[in-house]
Each structure stands twice: as structure tokens, then as C-alpha cells.
Amino acid sequence: MHQELCKNCTHIYQGKFCPNCGQKAATHEIDFNFVMHEVPHSAFHLSKGIFYTIKELFTRPGKTIREYFEGKRINHFPPLTYLLIITSLFVFVKSLQIAFNFREIKKENTSELNQFIDKNFILVLLIMIPVYALVYKLFHLKFKYNYWQLLVAQTFIIAHIFLIMLIPQLLFFFFPETRNLFKGYFLLITAVFQIFTYYQLFNDSRTIKIRLLIRELICYAVATIIAIVFTVFLLGVITEITKFMHH
């Protein structure tokens, strides 16, 4: 049989794929035909994977994450990639609001904490990921999942929360006067989503359902308080250091 020399790792092998690094044997020259094939091919695989992950996280989030832990990953987007794509989409929509000069209607009695979180919403959620994972691990020491697995779970959850929060951002274009109402409802939805996700993840035949539900409610409340306090403190320190450096 014909032997191939891998152009990526120089391994000599037989077949269509290099067994050492996984690259295809056939590597076409990059020209117009290559681009015309690669762009729709990549877009198809991107949409196929991301839409499947979105559907699964909407319908069975905890079970989906558990299956991901167990190795069923070929149809799913990696959590970090999923987070980057959804976050980029969220930032893009927010940028459109600024470009079209939309302004959020603010209440006069809004606290400084709420204003701070609104202003740094994306950073707050991203910093919360490792904090949430740590608190959930401490609340579930008897369960088999380690901190890094819960970090992956929380990455999926936060990415999906960004996706959920895109809905009021889009509605704001058409109903700007109801923005605060939309935001309140969807903040509640995101809380329910996270509680339900972990309830499904930790639920098994040996678990007492009502006890698990109460634990998840308490865990979410404690984790949210700790995460907000830590995040606000961290961002406050960063802000003060930045001000000091500019002086």
C-alpha cells in the first residue's frame, strides 16, 4: 500500500488520516476552490454543533453536561468555544445598541451596586464562573464531580445565560420603554435555569429529590452572594489600581 508522509508531524503512515496527529492525508493547495469548499463546510459544521448544544442545554441542561463529563462530546461544542461565540454575539448586540444611540431607561433609585453590575455585566458573569464552581464543589463534596468538571459545567451555564439574556437585548430595539421589565423577568429565568441545571446534574436514583432541590436553592443563593461580593471587590481593586497608574 502507498505510504503517506504527514505534512504536519512528518510521521510516515498508511491511510487517509495520520494516526499520530490526526491530520488528513489529502491537503489541498489554498486557492479559490479551497476557499469555496472550506467556508460553507466550516459554517455547516459550526452551525450543526452549536445548534445541537443550544437545543440540548435548553431541553435537558444537567443531563447534557453529565453526558459531556462521561465522554459523549462529539456532537457538542467545547464549553470555552461556546462561551466565546455566545459572548461575542452578546457584545455585538450591545455594540449595535450603542451605535444606534439606544439608552437604557434608568430608575432614579437604582443602587450603586446595581449600576456597577449593569456597567460591568459581562465581566461580572465571566469572573463568577470559577467562584460559582468553587462554591458548588464545597456544597457537593459527597458527589463524584471534581472542581474542574464543575468549572466546565459553569462555563456552559454562563454561556447559555448570555444567550438567554440576548432576548431582552433584542427586544430592547423594539420596546425600549419596557427594558427594565424584560431584564427583571429574564434574570429570574436565568436563576431558574442554573438551579434546574445543577438539580439535573446531581440527581440520581440515590438522591432524595426534595432535599436536593432545597440544597440547590440554598447553594445558588450563597454562591450568587459570594460571587457578586468577590467580583465587585475584584473589579473595584482593578479600577483603583488603574486610576493610580494613570495618576
Side-chain angles (χ1 to χ4, degrees):
M1 290 184 65
H2 177 69
Q3 289 189 324
E4 300 282 354
L5 173 66
C6 179
K7 296 178 181 179
N8 183 58
C9 68
T10 68
H11 181 70
I12 298 174
Y13 64 97
Q14 294 177 346
K16 295 182 178 180
F17 295 90
C18 173
N20 189 48
C21 70
Q23 177 163 292
K24 288 183 179 180
T27 53
H28 302 287
E29 182 180 353
I30 298 177
D31 54 15
F32 177 78
N33 291 328
F34 173 84
V35 173
M36 289 299 100
H37 170 268
E38 194 68 17
V39 170
H41 178 77
S42 300
F44 171 76
H45 284 282
L46 174 69
S47 62
K48 181 181 178 182
I50 198 167
F51 286 131
Y52 179 80
T53 300
I54 289 172
K55 177 183 75 70
E56 291 294 291
L57 287 175
F58 266 124
T59 55
R60 47 197 296 275
K63 293 178 181 178
T64 298
I65 292 172
R66 187 192 307 148
E67 289 174 356
Y68 189 86
F69 290 166
E70 293 170 353
K72 299 177 182 179
R73 301 171 188 172
I74 191 168
N75 293 321
H76 288 289
F77 247 47
L80 186 57
T81 307
Y82 184 58
L83 177 66
L84 290 173
I85 290 176
I86 300 300
T87 305
S88 299
L89 185 60
F90 187 88
V91 171
F92 174 71
V93 172
K94 295 287 286 184
S95 300
L96 285 180
Q97 292 179 357
I98 296 173
F100 285 99
N101 201 30
F102 282 98
R103 292 290 181 266
E104 182 175 352
I105 300 172
K106 295 184 180 294
K107 297 180 180 178
E108 293 182 0
N109 60 348
T110 303
S111 67
E112 291 186 8
L113 176 60
N114 285 335
Q115 291 179 17
F116 184 86
I117 292 175
D118 285 341
K119 184 179 179 181
N120 302 279
F121 182 71
I122 296 173
L123 273 177
V124 167
L125 283 186
L126 292 178
I127 295 173
M128 279 181 170
I129 292 175
V131 182
Y132 266 120
L134 178 60
V135 175
Y136 272 91
K137 176 57 184 173
L138 294 176
F139 265 79
H140 301 85
L141 291 174
K142 294 182 179 180
F143 289 81
K144 60 183 179 181
Y145 304 119
N146 61 44
Y147 171 76
W148 302 106
Q149 288 174 308
L150 295 180
L151 188 67
V152 166
Q154 193 60 44
T155 301
F156 270 126
I157 290 169
I158 292 297
H160 211 62
I161 284 175
F162 274 120
L163 182 64
I164 294 171
M165 292 303 295
L166 266 176
I167 299 174
Q169 298 296 331
L170 293 172
L171 289 174
F172 181 43
F173 282 103
F174 305 100
F175 311 102
E177 69 282 355
T178 57
R179 167 70 183 279
N180 288 312
L181 177 63
F182 284 141
K183 187 168 65 174
Y185 278 126
F186 279 90
L187 283 175
L188 176 61
I189 291 172
T190 58
V192 172
F193 171 73
Q194 176 150 328
I195 293 168
F196 177 67
T197 300
Y198 279 111
Y199 175 82
Q200 273 197 343
L201 178 62
F202 292 113
N203 189 14
D204 57 37
S205 57
R206 299 169 297 174
T207 308
I208 301 174
K209 313 301 181 187
I210 186 64
R211 183 182 297 175
L212 178 62
L213 179 59
I214 293 172
R215 181 193 314 216
E216 298 314 313
L217 288 168
I218 296 172
C219 183
Y220 176 79
V222 173
T224 300
I225 293 171
I226 293 175
I228 289 176
V229 170
F230 174 79
T231 304
V232 170
F233 171 77
L234 181 61
L235 289 176
V237 170
I238 294 172
T239 302
E240 292 301 319
I241 292 175
T242 304
K243 289 180 180 178
F244 177 79
M245 291 178 66
H246 282 114
H247 287 305

